[in-house]
């Protein structure tokens, strides 16, 4: 396996007052990270510590980008498709029902929706993402679910 730092990809949230009020302080919060241990899905800045999840490579079958259509716009997401039986992840969507996620984004399954994060207050760099996944988990595909 490659060195865990040389090809790692890490994106940070733009600092906001929400993280101060949520108890995370004014430090840089990692929104998304790919490294030798797996994929870190950062929690929302105001609830960062309780919603952040680290998904190990052995639980990941694919990374998936997708969009949630909203009136007049769309929100970009990235998620991890995980092996059956993988433990539940904390996150901002953890309490949503299958019916609710089907209504919000019918093109993705419920488990993927729960294991996804909005690309909001940070930027996803597709090229750096591909490079990191190729370095650490070359058999894990990056898919686009639209």
């Amino acid at each position: 396996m490659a060195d865990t730092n040389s090809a790692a990809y890490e994106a940070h949230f733009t600092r906001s007052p929400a993280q101060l009020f949520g108890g995370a302080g004014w430090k840089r919060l990692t929104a998304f990270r790919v490294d030798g241990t797996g994929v870190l899905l950062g929690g929302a800045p105001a609830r960062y510590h309780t919603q952040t999840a680290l998904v190990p490579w052995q639980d990941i079958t694919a990374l998936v980008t997708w969009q949630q259509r909203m009136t007049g716009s769309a929100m970009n997401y990235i998620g991890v498709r995980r092996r059956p039986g993988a433990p539940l992840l904390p996150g901002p969507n953890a309490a949503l029902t299958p019916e609710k996620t089907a209504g919000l984004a019918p093109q993705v399954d419920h488990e993927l929706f729960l294991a996804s994060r909005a690309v909001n207050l940070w930027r996803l760099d597709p090229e750096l993402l591909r490079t990191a996944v190729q370095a650490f988990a070359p058999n894990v595909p990056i898919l686009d679910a639209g």
Side-chain angles (χ1 to χ4, degrees):
M1 186 162 286
D3 173 34
T4 59
N5 292 318
S6 64
Y9 170 53
E10 186 169 274
H12 296 94
F13 285 109
T14 302
R15 290 185 177 113
S16 73
Q19 74 185 63
L20 284 174
F21 299 124
W26 199 241
K27 63 184 175 184
R28 285 179 65 183
L29 299 177
T30 302
F32 183 79
R33 181 177 170 85
V34 174
D35 64 19
T37 60
V39 175
L40 180 119
L41 301 169
R47 305 213 37 197
Y48 188 78
H49 298 293
T50 60
Q51 294 180 351
T52 297
L54 177 62
V55 185
W57 286 118
Q58 63 265 25
D59 286 352
I60 299 172
T61 62
L63 293 176
V64 183
T65 59
W66 57 277
Q67 288 188 331
Q68 178 184 0
R69 305 261 183 244
M70 299 178 284
T71 306
S73 65
M75 175 68 71
N76 293 319
Y77 282 78
I78 185 159
V80 291
R81 183 160 287 138
R82 300 174 315 128
R83 68 170 172 77
L88 294 176
L89 299 176
N93 302 320
L96 296 179
T97 65
E99 295 77 25
K100 184 69 171 175
T101 60
L104 292 170
Q107 77 276 24
V108 299
D109 61 70
H110 178 67
E111 289 77 19
L112 177 60
F113 195 109
L114 297 183
S116 294
R117 296 297 190 267
V119 181
N120 188 23
L121 299 175
W122 63 282
R123 190 176 90 72
L124 180 67
D125 185 318
E127 188 57 39
L128 291 176
L129 174 63
R130 278 190 289 282
T131 299
V133 171
Q134 184 62 37
F136 300 115
N139 295 326
V140 172
I142 301 171
L143 308 173
D144 183 0

